[in-house]
Each structure stands twice: as C-alpha cells, then as structure tokens.
Amino acid sequence: MRLWTMLTCVAVAMLAFHPARAATQVQVLETWPAGDSITLGKDQNFYLHLHYTSDQPVHIWARPYFQGKPAKAGSNPSRVYPAGSGAALGWFFLFDPGMQVDEVRISAGDGSYNRTPVVATYPVSITGGDQSAQATPQPAWLASLRAADDAASRADYEKAMNTPPSSGDVALFSGFMLAMIAIGLIALAWPAWGLWRWRGGWRLAAAMPAVVMAFVVLRIFIDTTRDPTSHNLWPFEIVMWGGWICVGMLLLGLAHKLFAAKHV
C-alpha cells in the first residue's frame, strides 16, 4: 500500500512540474470586405486577416456559423504555419444567396477532432447576395497573404513531386493493385463457373453478377477511351463492384449447396 502511495505521489509531482503547453491564440486584425454588416456578392469570398501565436506548427481554419449551426459555405484549406507568431489568412464563401452568418469560429490545431479546438470567435453580420460583387481594390495585406499561401502550396507540391516514394508506399500500392486484379478476376471467373456448373434458375442467378461485372469493365473501357479523365479512380470501382459480386456469389453458392443437400 505504501509503495502505491509513493508511486502516485511521484506521478502527481511529475505532472505538476511538467511544463504546460500554451494554447494557440488567434486574433482577427481586419476583414475584407470590411464592416460589421456585409452583403457578399455572388461567389465572393470573405477574408480575415489573422494574427496567431503558437508554440508548435499549426493549421488555422475560419468557418462561418449562423444561430449556433454551421452555415452552408466553403471555407479555406490551411497550410502549416510555423511555431511562433505571425500572420495567417482565413476565408469562406456562401453557397446560396440569402444565407446568413452571425459569427465566424476560428479553430487551430493539427486537423484532428480532439486537437483542433475553437480558439477565437468573430461576431459579424453577413448575408449572401445574388448580384456580382463590385470590383474594388484589395487591401495590401490580402494580396501579401494570398501570395504567401500560393508560394507555400507550390513548395509543398514540388516537395511531394521530388520526394521518391518509400518502400512502404511502393509495397502498399503494389499490394492494392494486386488485390484489385485478383478481385476483378475472381468477380469475372466465379459467375462464369456458376454458368458452367449450374442448371436452371441457378444458372440464371449466376448470369446476373456476370453481366454486372462485364458491364462495369466495359463501361470503364469505353469511357476512358473517350475521356481518359472520366474514371480516375477506376481501380476502386473494380474493388467495390468486384467485392460485392464476390459476396453475392458466396451467398448464392451456399444457397445452392443447401438446396442440393435437401434434394439428395
């Protein structure tokens, strides 16, 4: 008992002297369009000039809300801002005219649910309009921050393109492609086997998944011949449809086996 008491005291002492991590702080310096009551033009963005302080690299997002619920809007992605303090850019646009915003909630963290808290709120009245926004000069801070975001995006893209894939990435990709080929072949061969071995209604039942898989493969082939970008995720289509067909054939095979056993 004394040993457990001593260990508990040591643990509490270590936690007490462990340096606390400071929360990320974000402040809204100014906005564009400026003002407390704003009507956005059609497809116009609302920008926020932010100043942050953080003891670790951080992402920052600005998302609009109305009456405590998220507004139907598109908001900014976020690059990684370095530890320390500096300027950041948040923005969003409203999907439909007439939509309203009464506050902007600014969250900061690593993007995960538990570690990206709301660190600031900005009260504002915004309404989505149906007219095109008037062309007005943008403030200097907006041009500077947009240029910084664009430069960071290009740097991240160039880094990703110039970084050779790791052995783990190659193995994962190869494994997925092999699995895709195997599932596709099984999804074609299994119904064909049913057509060859079964008779009567069972043969008709086996023909249905065979027709479906043949249609999926033929559609991908024809569509990509016309437009190579029409099925950029075609391996996932093969895996999805092939997986369902394999499950269906498994159930169909079990049913056929049970039916045959009852009529022996």
Side-chain angles (χ1 to χ4, degrees), residues 24-47:
T24 299
Q25 297 179 350
V26 179
Q27 178 185 4
V28 178
L29 300 180
E30 49 192 326
T31 68
W32 191 81
D36 297 327
S37 182
I38 300 163
T39 298
L40 291 179
K42 185 178 180 181
D43 299 325
Q44 183 181 11
N45 291 347
F46 180 76
Y47 296 95

Side-chain angles (χ1 to χ4, degrees), residues 31-228:
T31 68
W32 191 81
D36 297 327
S37 182
I38 300 163
T39 298
L40 291 179
K42 185 178 180 181
D43 299 325
Q44 183 181 11
N45 291 347
F46 180 76
Y47 296 95
L48 300 98
H49 183 191
L50 309 173
H51 181 271
Y52 76 94
T53 301
S54 177
D55 62 352
Q56 58 186 328
V58 67
H59 296 268
I60 300 174
W61 292 272
R63 297 186 174 98
Y65 280 72
F66 181 66
Q67 296 181 348
K69 297 180 179 180
K72 293 176 63 177
S75 58
N76 66 283
S78 177
R79 62 185 175 94
V80 179
Y81 292 97
S85 62
L89 180 65
W91 56 264
F92 62 85
F93 61 90
L94 301 178
F95 285 151
D96 301 314
M99 297 194 63
Q100 294 180 286
V101 174
D102 57 18
E103 70 172 347
V104 181
R105 297 183 185 181
I106 302 164
S107 55
D110 61 6
S112 64
Y113 179 79
N114 294 326
R115 292 185 293 182
T116 310
V118 174
V119 296
T121 58
Y122 181 73
V124 65
S125 176
I126 300 176
T127 303
D130 57 1
Q131 303 294 323
S132 298
Q134 297 181 354
T136 55
Q138 296 182 356
W141 62 263
L142 177 55
S144 175
L145 290 176
R146 291 182 65 178
D149 281 357
D150 291 342
S153 297
R154 288 194 300 269
D156 290 341
Y157 175 78
E158 292 175 359
K159 180 180 179 181
M161 294 300 294
N162 294 328
T163 301
S166 64
S167 57
D169 293 335
V170 172
L172 181 62
F173 177 77
S174 301
F176 174 78
M177 294 305 294
L178 289 174
M180 182 271 298
I181 294 172
I183 291 174
L185 291 176
I186 293 172
L188 288 171
W190 203 344
W193 176 86
L195 286 170
W196 176 57
R197 292 292 301 271
W198 296 342
R199 296 292 182 269
W202 295 104
R203 173 176 286 184
L204 180 61
M208 294 177 62
V211 170
V212 171
M213 195 63 198
F215 172 77
V216 170
V217 174
L218 186 63
R219 186 190 63 175
I220 293 174
F221 176 76
I222 294 175
D223 289 350
T224 52
T225 300
R226 295 174 179 173
D227 180 8

